[in-house]
Amino acid sequence: MNQHWADLTSHHATIEQRRILDLFSDPARAKTFSAASDGMLFDYSKTNIDATGLSLLLALAKAAGVAEKREAMFSGTKINETEGRAVLHTALRNLSANVVVDGKDVMPPVRETYARMRAFCDDVREGRFAGQGGKITDVVNIGIGGSDLGPAMAVLALAPFHDGPRCHFISNVDGAHAADVLRGLNPQTTLVIIASKTFTTIETMTNAETVRAWMAEQVANPAAQFAAVSTAADKTSAFGISSERVFGFEDWVGGRYSMWGPIGLAIMLAIGPDDFAQFLAGGAAMDAHFRTADFGHNLPVLLALVGLWHNQVCGHATRAVLPYDQRLSRLPAYLQQLEMESNGKRVSMDGKDLPYHSGPVVWGEPGTNGQHAFYQLIHQGTRVVPCEFLVARRGHEPHLAHQHLLLVSNCLAQSEALLRGRSLAEASAIMAKKGLTGAELERQARHRVFPGNRPSTTLAYEQLTPFTLGQIIALYEHRVFVEGVILGVNSYDQWGVELGKELALALQPILEGKMGTAGKDGSTSALVEFLKV
Ligand code: F6P
């Protein structure tokens, strides 16, 4: 643990008992502890970070080499050291860039694939590419993890912009998922996208076979209604998909960072190439902000520093992402992969044990629904959960503007309640008004105390458009990058998913009864006995 962390720890010890609300005696606090970029406001004033804390955090970022590593990422250096790969998802949203990896300009094939995606989407949306039964009405994207969560989240988020075929997503190897999605679809007017970077993921390949069999019942040549998105062209052709409907990308696009390129095909089909270009433009705008704004006004840097402050310095093990935007209901699930697969590591880049905790547990649900479910614990539980609110100034339903106002008032009320709380004296006064006295008043009042002093941030934006969504996703991507650099981990590998995959493969013949449970622990053996058919 270096001196910067030690300084932050000692600073935290001196302010731990201070109430965040007291910091607002500075009338400029909300302005000082917030930052803006392209119409987006990030307010972190409802945290216990003060001027000293901020300067210590900024010094930590500087000392960790965030600026240098940021440039290394954007310019194609192989910062994914355990896999020997560059990390260049940013190039997918900055198509005019020149990026050289291993002495080669990597952009011409990226631009070519993007142009083919646009042309294919136009063909599908305008009926020039049709199914056996005519114009494509439905698209089924088969993928999992990064090949599912991003497109599924974005298609839902951008519902007001849909003017293409309906998009559906199958991810889980549980046959229930395919069965439920396929029920009611017409195979003769359905386009299937197999989205898999590796084209080996067992869930995706199993579902692809299932969907092909479903289609074969009513379509003479099912392969003609399949497209593929992958880095493995040999495997897509072995599956029988014609190369004109295969959209490739390079290994320098990580799965959970891939929705900007061909993995975003379902998004482009749903909203059209021009709105998809706006999504890319939003991401590129955040990239430009991240590269140029000084750290004290840099949204991704500040979001990361607030995250490190709460997790590593204050010791809060989780953070809740709470979009007051129903259409962002899959954002928490998307961020779980982005953040936890990236920074849920236990050793630093050089293979040594981390001297602190790595990334936090990320979870959440949209407001106001969460208020009627788990906010009880956030307000009165014994653990502190830093909350990250997201909210738009305007919805997409002008005729329901009164509901948007209710939504916004609830969002602001929650962060205010977390900050302010309700003291025993205030709760007692309320109970006294109800006519309670003595021990019963005291007992009832104690149940109604809110400790307050619970930190939150708010990301406010004008309206959830493709551009805004691009900004939000790029913001979180860069937050993960900055946290990863400061923690010293490799944010771009995911070795932690491998062991379970290997063991699942080995368990298949055991569950089929082809092999015994020798070598398995007692619990696994007993569960095999119970579950095998
Ligand atoms: O198992 C984890 C993972 O490798 C993720 O990182 C990835 O997004 C997902 O599986 C899907 O992988 P693929 O796109 O290769 O099918």
Side-chain angles (χ1 to χ4, degrees), residues 14 30 67 90 98 120 203 215 249 265 282 295 355 393 414-415 478 495 508:
T14 65
T90 50
N98 286 321
F120 180 63
E203 291 92 333
M215 192 171 271
F249 58 104
L265 187 61
F295 281 7
R393 198 163 75 85
Q414 291 302 324
S415 65
H478 293 320
W495 300 109
Q508 281 173 39

Side-chain angles (χ1 to χ4, degrees), residues 48 128 163 230 262 338 362 399 408 431 464 469 476 520:
N48 219 334
R128 288 187 294 279
D163 53 5
S230 183
L338 183 67
V362 178
H399 62 296
V408 175
M431 290 299 97
L464 188 60
L469 185 69
Y476 276 95
K520 293 287 168 198

